[in-house]
Amino acid sequence: MCCLRPCWSCCCLLLFFSLGVQGSLNPSAAPEQVHLSYPGEPGSMTVTWTTWVPTPSEVQFGLQLSGPLPFRAQGTVSPFVDGGILRRKLYIHRVTLQKLLPGVQYVYRCGSAQGWSRRFRFRALKNGPHWSPRLAVFGDLGADNPKALPRLRRDTQQGMYDAVLHVGDFAYNMDEDNARVGDRFMRLIEPVAASLPYMTCPGNHEERYNFSNYKARFSMPGDNQGLWYSWDLGPAHIISFSTEVYFFLHYGHHLVERQFHWLERDLQKANKNRAARPWIITMGHRPMYCSNADLDDCTWHESKVRKGLLGKLYGLEDLFYKYGVDLQLWAHEHSYERLWPIYNYQVFNGSQETPYTNPRGPVHIITGSAGCEERLTAFTLFPRPWSAVRVKEYGYTRLHILNGTHVHIQQVSDDQDGKIVDDVWVVRPLLGRMMYH
């Protein structure tokens, strides 16, 4: 006689294995919001992710898409309690991979025996100054209306970039709905940020609870909680800083001074290293100049970022000019604007025919049109004499640091299905490039 009663031990075994195949025995222990950043040391990459219960932090990695991942790296886990009324607790994991081979593609997964992420791929950054990094650059990307994201995902899958620069303003806002909006945003960017170093700076929308969501969720180089730091990439030295210290003074006037002195020291060091890394590029959220039709800081003649507190303390324009910063990347305005080389409202083009060849002032790019719930920002009716190109369309910027003398900047329009709506080369000879005057 045939027995049709279920074998409960078999069922339990099947359930156990099906959960194991999915990679998580406890959904709260499953890694999510996986993203990469470059910690500044050649041959390294930091993996950051979130779980809802404390678990060990491990990354398994290797060179094969399938099969075993032979290498292991352990890291740390830190609880993060959001400042909202629910005091939601997240566990943020950080693991730094080391001794990576330059330019080699790695496969990895992160988590623990309690649950693993799916497999992701990234290419280790090449070492030294003699290669040509390609970056995607934008700010002001929200969890709602993230217009640029589908194209950025496709670009990333096609291997178009070596890194991403997100120039402030994430999610709108990471703290909202007891930080659930931050969780949603970090899940949204995972297909890009788990494949490329996603390098950030703080914007005004990160301000709540003293920028706590920003500081906890991102892992930037240095020891200033990602508020300001610098790193080398190919022929460029890239400096990220906080414009927000000039506006949220209740978190401490001392931050303005601390950052300013750090910037000066970093710029001095970068200038001594110009022979190896000729380009100095800065990224900060709120621009010094813009020709948008609003009342933002950049529309005022003596903007705080440009001229400093009280119009005279710790202004950045003189500092950046003094140390010959080549390219300044900004966001905040939900549009794209390229300026002529400029200092103190004066246009300093290299020549009439080739304004960006050997420019005598820094080049400013404002790229804040990646897409958010606040939509696009209008421009004033007539452009200012220092404004070269204005585009009120969703999109993002491609930055190709070709070599020590040539940088290529393109603006991609999402409204025009990926059309390049601005295209310019900045060219500077290697000799005598530190000072503009």
Side-chain angles (χ1 to χ4, degrees):
M1 181 179 149
C2 179
C3 173
L4 296 175
R5 280 180 304 175
C7 167
W8 291 113
S9 60
C10 294
C11 288
C12 289
L13 209 58
L14 275 171
L15 181 64
F16 177 83
F17 278 118
S18 69
L19 283 169
V21 167
Q22 287 168 9
S24 181
L25 302 175
N26 174 1
S28 301
E32 58 171 76
Q33 308 172 37
V34 181
H35 56 288
L36 301 174
S37 58
Y38 177 61
E41 288 296 315
S44 63
M45 193 71 79
T46 297
V47 187
T48 306
W49 71 93
T50 296
T51 58
W52 304 99
V53 292
T55 67
S57 310
E58 183 174 313
V59 173
Q60 299 179 345
F61 61 109
L63 302 174
Q64 304 300 323
L65 275 175
S66 56
L69 298 170
F71 308 122
R72 304 271 187 278
Q74 272 80 35
T76 60
V77 58
S78 314
F80 167 61
V81 180
D82 173 62
I85 197 164
L86 294 183
R87 310 293 292 174
R88 282 176 79 236
K89 187 184 274 193
L90 295 67
Y91 292 89
I92 313 276
H93 302 257
R94 291 178 171 85
V95 174
T96 297
L97 314 183
Q98 290 169 322
K99 298 183 181 170
L100 301 172
L101 299 171
V104 168
Q105 182 175 270
Y106 288 88
V107 178
Y108 74 97
R109 67 174 188 169
C110 57
S112 68
Q114 291 168 258
W116 292 100
S117 71
R118 70 177 184 84
R119 292 182 178 213
F120 299 98
R121 283 181 284 178
F122 74 88
R123 196 170 290 282
L125 293 177
K126 293 177 185 170
N127 297 342
H130 301 298
W131 64 288
S132 305
R134 300 153 306 157
L135 301 107
V137 186
F138 55 85
D140 303 81
L141 181 68
D144 292 323
N145 193 36
K147 281 283 166 81
L149 202 50
R151 193 174 308 282
L152 281 163
R153 286 176 63 164
R154 288 200 296 275
D155 284 0
T156 301
Q157 285 158 6
Q158 289 166 19
M160 284 182 68
Y161 305 120
D162 299 294
V164 171
L165 306 183
H166 187 143
V167 193
D169 279 8
F170 307 79
Y172 287 75
N173 300 310
M174 287 197 284
D175 64 274
E176 275 191 13
D177 192 14
N178 294 282
R180 289 189 184 97
V181 172
D183 296 333
R184 186 155 66 91
F185 175 78
M186 299 305 290
R187 289 182 201 117
L188 270 177
I189 64 165
E190 187 183 79
V192 173
S195 304
L196 292 170
Y198 200 91
M199 309 303 283
T200 61
C201 74
N204 54 299
H205 280 270
E206 283 67 74
E207 176 266 334
R208 286 295 291 279
Y209 320 123
N210 197 4
F211 298 85
S212 64
N213 267 272
Y214 171 82
K215 292 171 181 173
R217 292 175 186 272
F218 294 109
S219 310
M220 294 300 118
D223 53 6
N224 292 303
Q225 299 180 289
L227 296 179
W228 56 84
Y229 61 92
S230 65
W231 55 300
D232 292 327
L233 184 69
H237 180 70
I238 301 174
I239 302 171
S240 173
F241 66 96
S242 172
T243 55
E244 303 316 299
V245 295
Y246 291 89
F247 298 90
F248 299 107
L249 293 167
H250 52 285
Y251 294 130
H253 285 66
H254 68 286
L255 292 173
V256 181
E257 186 180 0
R258 253 184 64 203
Q259 176 177 260
F260 184 88
H261 291 315
W262 178 89
L263 281 167
E264 181 148 44
R265 287 193 303 274
D266 195 76
L267 286 163
Q268 286 169 348
K269 218 184 316 179
N271 270 292
K272 285 180 184 150
N273 197 35
R274 283 270 197 187
R277 292 198 156 85
W279 296 102
I280 297 180
I281 298 171
T282 61
M283 60 187 261
H285 183 61
R286 299 195 210 207
M288 295 181 189
Y289 300 89
C290 66
S291 62
N292 295 88
D294 54 30
L295 294 174
D296 284 344
D297 183 58
C298 51
T299 66
W300 297 89
H301 193 272
E302 306 291 278
S303 79
K304 273 188 197 172
V305 176
R306 190 173 85 81
K307 295 301 280 183
L309 300 179
L310 306 173
K312 59 183 179 186
L313 295 172
Y314 311 115
L316 294 179
E317 184 173 46
D318 284 347
L319 183 73
F320 289 175
Y321 183 75
K322 177 182 176 182
Y323 290 103
V325 171
D326 298 288
L327 180 61
Q328 301 182 23
L329 304 170
W330 312 95
H332 192 60
E333 304 303 316
H334 302 161
S335 50
Y336 171 84
E337 187 166 16
R338 164 164 59 84
L339 276 52
W340 298 116
I342 188 173
Y343 171 66
N344 198 25
Y345 283 94
Q346 299 298 306
V347 171
F348 282 105
N349 289 349
S351 69
Q352 204 167 349
E353 297 75 33
T354 54
Y356 294 97
T357 297
N358 203 16
R360 292 169 298 128
V363 176
H364 294 243
I365 300 286
I366 302 163
T367 175
S369 60
C372 67
E373 65 193 38
E374 292 182 359
R375 311 292 162 176
L376 294 168
T377 312
F379 288 107
T380 56
L381 195 54
F382 301 106
R384 307 281 188 254
W386 37 261
S387 180
V389 171
R390 310 193 301 176
V391 180
K392 188 192 167 192
E393 292 174 7
Y394 289 110
Y396 53 94
T397 305
R398 289 179 183 148
L399 176 62
H400 186 190
I401 308 163
L402 188 71
N403 53 33
T405 57
H406 287 68
V407 163
H408 191 198
I409 300 160
Q410 294 180 312
Q411 180 66 6
V412 181
S413 168
D414 258 308
D415 293 10
Q416 297 190 56
D417 197 29
K419 183 182 174 187
I420 304 298
V421 290
D422 187 34
D423 194 315
V424 68
W425 286 88
V426 181
V427 182
R428 285 190 63 106
L430 287 173
L431 291 172
R433 60 182 292 143
M434 178 186 150
M435 300 302 179
Y436 287 118
H437 44 290

